[in-house]
Amino acid sequence: MTRVTLIKGDGIGPEISESVVKIMKSAGADIEWDIQTAGLDVVEKEGTPLPDRVINSIKQNKVALKAPITTPIGKGFRSVNVQLRKALELYANIRPCKNIPTIKTKFDNVDIVVVRENTEDLYAGIEEKIDDNTAHSIKIITRDASIRIAKYAFDYAVKYDRKEVCVVTKANICKLSDGLFLECAREVAKEYPQVKFREILVDNCCMQLVQNPSQFDVLLLPNLYGDIVSDLTAGLIGGLGVAKSANIGKDCAIFEAVHGSAPDIQGQDKANPMALLLSGVEMLKYIGQSDAAKKIEKALFATLNSGVRTADIGGSAKCSEFTDEIVKNIEKV
Ligand code: ATP
């Protein structure tokens, strides 16, 4: 039995967490969930959106599955997601984007892994209001963090037999900050002669991605570009409802969907639980429960194949109907 922290989040978070827990249980995953609440509801009761008990639970269990938590726009508390990544030093955000069988998209040959630096850049949250008409935001890039993430990208490429790492920056404009990120990637690349190394500017990268995505393999990006480009790559394989991710550190890992809390569809039983489910499948593999992981994948693809799917990927099933169909297919596997 593995103890795993479960953060159910808010918005569509509770609906999709419930779905994933149900599916994992039916697949025989041997997990004891340590349920922790965080976010807006918690602020009112505990004075912070991220109480120490949540961090301590993840530190103790070393692994967590996290549903989305809303980040207030333009005001309010700092993103819980960003705080968690910082507090647990989850320096690598991995967002694999590969075509999913039966989900028809514009391109059939997408197989990209976004490796995003997860602890600094404009996400450091260092902002100041100069006067009513001026605000500054500081972009932090350090050598240590840039080398660490570049090594992660190249190690990943070696481990999973990927051919190329492409570093994505705007080093022609942000000469010092993105320039340092690029310089570190170049240095690390020299230690991995077996992996091809490529450099591209982020604007060109976006254009190329929507025209010819199969040219890309592993993308290495600083935090902000990584966030934006990975939504784009999610779009290439069917949208945010199907895009998985992992936040990896030296001691802990948090698995979560790429998407946010989708308040526009909250409480309507419309959300697609697939992104969290596929992140959960990666978590099962990470904790050594590959049998349950494989069962879920098989049942999920059988479900999609039979035409049962949620509205965001062209179906009409509710979240609960889609979940029940996957459970039914697990029982048949
Ligand atoms: P954040 O900044 O927290 O990542 P966001 O502003 O990018 O959030 P999301 O919450 O990810 O926004 O939602 C973007 C759009 O995608 C919304 O229209 C939402 O309904 C849709 N969406 C996101 N997740 C899902 C899902 N699991 N199922 C169906 N639709 C989704």
Side-chain angles (χ1 to χ4, degrees):
M1 172 89 72
T2 307
R3 207 172 143 80
V4 174
T5 303
L6 175 66
I7 302 174
K8 290 188 172 177
D10 52 37
I12 58 169
E15 303 163 44
I16 58 175
S17 315
E18 203 179 296
S19 155
V20 171
V21 167
K22 191 170 175 183
I23 293 167
M24 285 200 180
K25 190 170 175 214
S26 77
D30 196 14
I31 290 174
E32 183 193 343
W33 296 108
D34 175 6
I35 298 173
Q36 296 288 332
T37 47
L40 197 57
D41 298 347
V42 171
V43 183
E44 282 150 28
K45 286 183 222 130
E46 301 182 52
T48 164
L50 184 61
D52 286 345
R53 61 174 168 75
V54 183
I55 309 254
N56 291 337
S57 158
I58 302 172
K59 278 188 177 159
Q60 210 167 38
N61 298 326
K62 305 208 178 308
V63 60
L65 183 66
K66 182 187 147 296
I69 293 174
T70 306
T71 304
I73 296 178
K75 58 180 168 45
F77 58 81
R78 201 172 160 220
S79 161
V80 170
N81 313 314
V82 174
Q83 285 187 59
L84 267 176
R85 292 169 195 164
K86 190 98 191 140
L88 298 164
E89 274 296 304
L90 303 171
Y91 66 91
N93 185 202
I94 314 304
R95 298 181 163 186
C97 275
K98 189 175 176 183
N99 289 114
I100 295 169
T102 80
I103 297 185
K104 189 83 200 94
T105 53
K106 204 160 171 225
F107 302 98
D108 307 322
N109 43 7
V110 179
D111 186 5
I112 298 167
V113 179
V114 172
V115 176
R116 164 188 174 195
E117 202 291 322
N118 221 10
T119 62
E120 49 184 34
D121 195 353
L122 281 161
Y123 282 69
I126 306 171
E127 293 196 301
E128 57 179 345
K129 185 172 170 182
I130 305 301
D131 58 39
D132 280 350
N133 301 309
T134 315
H136 289 177
S137 187
I138 299 181
K139 178 174 167 107
I140 307 276
I141 301 283
T142 66
R143 169 168 289 276
D144 281 355
S146 304
I147 294 273
R148 182 171 64 173
I149 195 67
K151 281 194 167 144
Y152 190 95
F154 278 93
D155 284 338
Y156 185 99
V158 171
K159 185 170 174 191
Y160 295 102
D161 199 22
R162 314 287 305 208
K163 304 288 171 258
E164 180 188 272
V165 172
C166 177
V167 63
V168 186
T169 65
K170 191 72 185 168
N172 55 340
I173 301 298
C174 302
K175 291 183 196 295
L176 297 182
S177 51
D178 282 15
L180 177 58
F181 191 86
L182 175 59
E183 184 185 305
C184 292
R186 284 177 180 163
E187 268 175 47
V188 171
K190 288 192 190 126
E191 296 167 27
Y192 296 81
Q194 70 275 45
V195 181
K196 266 174 59 191
F197 178 58
R198 178 177 169 193
E199 301 173 7
I200 194 167
L201 294 175
V202 65
D203 40 358
N204 183 22
C205 179
C206 290
M207 198 261 306
Q208 302 272 345
L209 274 168
V210 296
Q211 287 196 320
N212 177 18
S214 62
Q215 66 181 292
F216 294 107
D217 192 339
V218 176
L219 294 178
L220 164 64
L221 308 97
N223 207 339
L224 181 63
Y225 308 144
D227 186 29
I228 297 166
V229 169
S230 59
D231 265 33
L232 193 164
T233 54
L236 294 172
I237 59 157
L240 285 173
V242 303
K244 61 187 173 183
S245 99
N247 298 284
I248 311 278
K250 200 160 63 61
D251 302 314
C252 314
I254 298 183
F255 294 80
E256 64 181 341
V258 167
H259 62 73
S261 58
D264 52 331
I265 54 167
Q266 169 183 1
Q268 298 168 37
D269 199 13
K270 271 188 190 164
N272 186 351
M274 253 182 83
L276 189 65
L277 182 63
L278 289 170
S279 307
V281 163
E282 292 307 312
M283 185 202 79
L284 287 173
K285 293 179 191 163
Y286 180 84
I287 60 174
Q289 299 197 21
S290 293
D291 285 352
K294 279 185 202 140
K295 260 192 201 169
I296 294 173
E297 276 176 332
K298 242 180 153 173
L300 170 64
F301 297 138
T303 304
L304 293 170
N305 219 1
S306 70
V308 179
R309 50 184 69 192
T310 47
D312 59 305
I313 48 171
S316 59
K318 293 194 170 304
C319 176
S320 53
E321 291 165 349
F322 185 59
T323 305
D324 290 343
E325 194 63 25
I326 296 172
V327 169
K328 241 195 257 164
N329 281 319
I330 285 175
E331 284 157 9
K332 285 190 213 151
V333 177

